[in-house]
């Protein structure tokens, strides 16, 4: 059994290699989302996922079965409503891609968005939103911040601490970027290797 993940990010050459390697006698299944195909610059072809059912037909030669994974268990109705509205034109280009629907009865919540001139202003806006939520009765422990990188989380946490907002970082990257941890790790590296110049600096 062959399981292929993030198949929308494969190139035509990779697809042909997979076809040659697993032609006949192998059950091949691919998971992917043509609406998340962002690697065309490195040779990925969204046609691989759109035409998978033809590239890897069933044993009798008929096009392979397609199943839509449209249930989202991470986001509530409000977020999915915006995502579906913004992606409607893109979904229309890819037959079989359905709008996302919530996987549970997650509360509706509210969605706020800001496009700000600088990174610092974005962080200030986020901190103000968090303080506003807490002022409206949301306990600190019920507020979470997700970011793309650990570096972003460290910057956000620093801004929150300056405003006396209690925080707890999760994840090794964010923890290792904390100044006290950087100092301690550098000392340990120097104890292990006295020539570790970056750690010494």
């Amino acid at each position: 059994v062959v399981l292929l993940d993030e198949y929308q990010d494969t190139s035509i050459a990779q697809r042909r290699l997979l076809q040659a390697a697993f032609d006949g006698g192998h059950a091949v299944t691919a998971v992917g989302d043509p609406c998340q195909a962002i690697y065309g610059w490195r040779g990925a072809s969204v046609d691989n996922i759109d035409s998978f059912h033809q590239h890897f037909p069933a044993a009798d030669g008929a096009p392979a079965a397609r199943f839509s994974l449209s249930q989202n268990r991470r986001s509530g109705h409000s977020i999915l409503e915006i995502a579906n509205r913004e992606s409607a034109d893109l979904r229309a280009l890819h037959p079989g891609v359905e709008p996302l629907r919530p996987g549970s009865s997650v509360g509706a919540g509210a969605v706020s968005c800001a496009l700000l001139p600088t990174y610092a202003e974005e962080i200030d806006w986020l901190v103000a939103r968090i303080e506003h939520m807490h002022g409206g009765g949301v306990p600190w422990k019920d507020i979470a911040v997700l970011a793309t990188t650990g570096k972003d989380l460290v910057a956000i946490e620093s801004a929150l601490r300056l405003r006396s907002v209690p925080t707890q970082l999760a994840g090794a990257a964010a923890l290792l970027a904390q100044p006290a941890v950087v100092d301690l790790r550098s000392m340990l590296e120097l104890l292990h290797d006295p020539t570790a110049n970056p750690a010494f600096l």
Side-chain angles (χ1 to χ4, degrees):
V1 175
V2 182
L3 303 174
L4 308 170
D5 192 21
E6 300 292 353
Y7 193 66
Q8 77 278 358
D9 295 333
T10 54
S11 68
I12 293 172
Q14 288 172 317
R15 186 252 298 166
R16 288 181 176 166
L17 174 68
L18 292 167
Q19 284 177 299
F22 304 116
D23 185 29
H26 290 87
V28 182
T29 300
V31 177
D33 183 352
C35 295
Q36 293 186 41
I38 59 172
Y39 291 109
W41 58 271
R42 71 174 190 198
S45 172
V46 73
D47 182 62
N48 285 340
I49 189 71
D50 281 337
S51 301
F52 177 84
H53 60 293
Q54 295 168 341
H55 295 156
F56 293 89
D60 62 2
R66 292 182 72 162
F67 302 95
S68 180
L69 302 174
S70 60
Q71 195 172 70
N72 182 305
R73 296 182 185 278
R74 293 180 179 175
S75 306
H77 174 74
S78 298
I79 292 173
L80 295 180
E81 183 180 326
I82 292 170
N84 287 332
R85 185 174 67 231
E86 292 300 314
S87 66
D89 291 344
L90 182 59
R91 281 196 323 274
L93 299 175
H94 303 284
V97 178
E98 298 177 6
L100 297 173
R101 63 184 195 280
S104 63
S105 56
V106 177
V111 177
S112 299
C113 182
L115 181 60
L116 301 160
T118 67
Y119 183 69
E121 289 175 274
E122 184 178 323
I123 290 177
D124 288 342
W125 178 84
L126 178 61
V127 170
R129 293 289 302 155
I130 290 170
E131 289 178 319
H132 177 74
M133 288 171 61
H134 180 68
V138 179
W140 292 126
K141 66 179 183 62
D142 289 349
I143 300 172
V145 176
L146 306 177
T148 306
T149 68
K151 182 180 176 184
D152 291 328
L153 287 174
V154 170
I156 294 165
E157 191 216 22
S158 177
L160 288 167
R161 285 184 179 266
L162 285 174
R163 302 279 281 270
S164 300
V165 175
T167 64
Q168 180 180 352
L169 275 177
L175 179 64
L176 291 174
Q178 297 235 17
V181 176
V182 170
D183 287 347
L184 178 60
R185 184 175 177 188
S186 297
M187 286 184 225
L188 292 172
E189 285 183 31
L190 281 168
L191 286 172
H192 175 70
D193 178 9
T195 66
N197 290 335
F200 177 75
L201 291 174

